[in-house]
Amino acid sequence: MRLIPFALAVGLALLALTPSLRAADNATVRAILITATNLKREADPRLAPYEAELQRNLPLSSFRYVGEGSTAVTAGAKSVIALERGNRIELEGERSGGRGIRMKVLWQSGRTVIMNTTLTLQPGVPAVLGRRPSGDGETPIVLLIAR
């Protein structure tokens, strides 16, 4: 007799948990294209929320906002964000088991592959993508932020 209420409680708990498990494999990702340089310039106010993260991760002194875009990413599907200057971010969602939002990231500038990696994004925490600077020229950087 006690088995039926217990089975119902377990079944309802599993039904309630299922949407949150699926939600962990879906996200909206925002990509911000930035140029960075060693030349001293005034800080770009559009990057103020990310300035500390950029300074901590990159040995550069000046960051300029170039443009941004966003897309929905679902586990098992590909999405694309087209950015200025011929940059393109292709995202492919993967099952993460609730530990952030796992995805494959392919960053291209024209036909050149800048980066091809897999990472796990934590909602609201920016991931900084870029290469080490070469010389005093501008270095492209992309911030990925999942929501």
Side-chain angles (χ1 to χ4, degrees):
M1 222 41 185
R2 293 182 193 207
L3 185 58
I4 292 172
F6 176 74
L8 281 173
V10 169
L12 289 173
L14 287 174
L15 284 174
L17 186 59
T18 302
S20 66
L21 288 175
R22 274 186 265 134
D25 293 327
N26 301 314
T28 298
V29 177
R30 178 180 172 204
I32 303 173
L33 179 63
I34 299 166
T35 56
T37 182
N38 279 325
L39 302 174
K40 297 286 184 191
R41 295 185 199 160
E42 188 176 315
D44 190 324
R46 293 173 288 191
L47 298 176
Y50 312 108
E51 189 77 28
E53 189 74 24
L54 291 166
Q55 292 290 342
R56 184 174 32 258
N57 285 288
L58 301 165
L60 299 162
S61 59
S62 178
F63 304 96
R64 285 278 168 236
Y65 175 94
V66 176
E68 68 181 89
S70 65
T71 189
V73 178
T74 304
K78 289 184 181 181
S79 300
V80 174
I81 302 173
L83 297 168
E84 285 75 2
R85 300 183 182 177
N87 288 277
R88 179 179 189 267
I89 308 292
E90 183 177 297
L91 305 167
E92 182 177 353
E94 295 183 343
R95 300 260 180 240
S96 67
R99 289 179 229 104
I101 299 128
R102 186 168 169 79
M103 62 187 64
K104 293 179 184 175
V105 179
L106 175 65
W107 174 13
Q108 293 179 294
S109 179
R111 292 181 181 254
T112 303
V113 173
I114 304 295
M115 186 172 290
N116 189 4
T117 190
T118 300
L119 51 87
T120 302
L121 296 175
Q122 299 301 320
V125 178
V128 180
L129 305 179
R131 292 185 174 172
R132 291 283 179 194
S134 57
D136 287 334
E138 290 185 338
T139 302
I141 306 294
V142 169
L143 289 180
L144 293 179
I145 306 133
R147 292 180 251 143

